[in-house]
Amino acid sequence: MMIETVFRCEDLPRADRFDFWREQMANLMAPMEMSSDHTRDFRGEVRVLEVGAASVWPTKFLPMRFRRTPKLIRQSDPELYHFSFIQEGNLQVTQARQDIAHGEDGLYVVDTSRPFDCVAFGGPPGGVGLEIPKALVPLPHDRIDQLLARPIPGREGVGALLTGFLTRLAADRGSYRPSDGPRLATVLIDLATALLAHTLEAEDALPPETHRRTLTLRVQTFIQRNLPDPKLSPATIAAAHHISVGHLHRLFRARDTTVSAWIRQQRLDRVRRDLSDPGLRTVPLHELAARWGFAHPAGFTRAFRAAYGMPPSEYRHLALVSCVPGVPPQHPARTDLRPSAPPPPAVTDVGAPRGPRGGGMADMPHSLPERPEDVIDRQ
């Protein structure tokens, strides 16, 4: 997992909680004046995930006030932009002549180098913060000053990319390694920079590499949302993003893949996940394939076998058997089999799936009409 720092006030005696909170926040973020009506029984929790040069802050605490004054700035200034995505509660934020209340799904940014005042009111606020060094944001700082404390759309467009990435990063922190930090930091800083530039209508000020990476991420998000559509194609994707098909192909060529190959792999990953789900064991194979955009069962089977070295029916069988208590896990893995190579022998000694009325697929009368899943299994 990534490097993580966690502190909870509830782990301390009540009389020590608020002083502990103030000390930790000053050390982790910047010195601030803090006050609360709940100092006798303060509760709060902060997790700080070190993601390369950036930091991600999932946090929740009781209503309070914190202020960054000119005196405190002179004492210590980490020179950061701090983004806050509010998932619950309310915050009144004042900075750069802006005094604005932010509620659920609110997103704003403050500058640690300038005085600010923040008051949490109502229920306990909670959300995810992001801190990035100002020096790594390739935009004029006087332009960014126009956005300080102001609402920034966080549920649509580039804002949704950033808040979605932050939320997922905070939830899946155990899935990452410390070595992932620098790469993830690049994505976070690019998304934050793109959001600021987009909000300022200054995307032309972005470095070409940042613009390209952000556009690629937007395209990939669009593809993932539209995988069930069998008509999804490079032409429709390019049109949705107001770029040429050639430009779209260059974005994916820079990642050593093609648009069609990336779409196919995303669809295969979704079907593979569904094949491993015991709750979907009765759903026919052709329906699982169709729900993720595979219009032709035979084509789906060829693609699946080429990717994972076995037909989807065998993969489902092995994946579901591994879920049975007492049976050692079996993990179907991609092999070096080429599409033209014969499939591996069918597994028959661990309880192969049976057809209707207890008969196997091979036992069904040949006079019956073929079903789509029969075609899938035989490819």
Side-chain angles (χ1 to χ4, degrees), residues 35-193:
S35 60
S36 174
D37 294 333
H38 305 276
T39 56
R40 295 183 178 180
D41 186 20
F42 191 79
R43 295 187 301 278
E45 176 178 327
V46 171
R47 293 188 289 110
V48 181
L49 310 177
E50 297 182 29
V51 188
S55 297
V56 178
W57 290 59
T59 182
K60 187 172 184 178
F61 52 89
L62 288 180
M64 61 171 296
R65 179 180 184 178
F66 41 98
R67 299 174 62 228
R68 183 103 165 105
T69 66
K71 180 179 179 180
L72 293 174
I73 293 172
R74 288 193 297 271
Q75 291 178 1
S76 175
D77 182 14
E79 298 186 354
L80 301 169
Y81 285 124
H82 185 100
F83 293 78
S84 291
F85 176 52
I86 304 172
Q87 296 171 309
E88 54 184 315
N90 302 276
L91 293 172
Q92 184 82 21
V93 183
T94 303
Q95 189 175 55
R97 299 182 181 180
Q98 299 289 335
D99 184 15
I100 300 174
H102 301 269
E104 185 175 343
D105 290 340
L107 176 64
Y108 67 91
V109 61
V110 294
D111 182 350
T112 64
S113 302
R114 303 188 62 173
F116 65 78
D117 191 349
C118 185
V119 180
F121 60 94
V128 185
L130 167 66
E131 287 186 345
I132 57 177
K134 294 167 59 177
L136 298 182
V137 179
L139 293 171
H141 291 178
D142 59 342
R143 295 291 310 279
I144 298 176
D145 287 348
Q146 303 173 28
L147 302 179
L148 298 178
R150 288 173 45 188
I152 299 175
R155 286 300 191 187
E156 59 185 30
V158 182
L161 292 177
L162 177 61
T163 58
F165 192 81
L166 283 174
T167 303
R168 184 66 178 270
L169 197 62
D172 293 348
R173 62 192 186 281
S175 302
Y176 305 102
R177 301 175 180 175
S179 59
D180 294 325
R183 292 183 289 270
L184 294 173
T186 298
V187 177
L188 283 170
I189 294 170
D190 281 345
L191 284 175
T193 300

Side-chain angles (χ1 to χ4, degrees), residues 253-326:
R253 193 178 304 129
R255 293 175 175 259
D256 296 323
T257 187
T258 65
V259 182
S260 298
W262 201 84
I263 293 173
R264 181 171 59 253
Q265 189 57 54
Q266 294 300 305
R267 285 172 167 162
L268 288 171
D269 287 345
R270 301 311 194 280
V271 178
R272 183 167 64 114
R273 179 195 63 192
D274 288 351
L275 291 173
S276 303
D277 186 346
L280 299 175
R281 66 168 64 235
T282 61
V283 179
L285 295 175
H286 72 281
E287 289 188 15
L288 292 182
R291 70 170 54 177
W292 291 113
F294 287 103
H296 305 290
F300 159 67
T301 297
R302 287 193 296 269
F304 193 96
R305 180 181 290 167
Y308 304 114
M310 62 184 69
S313 58
E314 183 176 343
Y315 186 99
R316 169 185 263 181
H317 173 67
L318 291 175
L320 294 180
V321 165
S322 69
C323 297
V324 177

Side-chain angles (χ1 to χ4, degrees), residues 363-375:
D363 299 328
M364 298 180 67
H366 295 291
S367 58
L368 290 177
E370 291 187 323
R371 300 181 304 167
E373 50 264 50
D374 298 335
V375 177

Side-chain angles (χ1 to χ4, degrees), residues 339-353:
S340 58
V347 178
T348 58
D349 58 347
V350 289

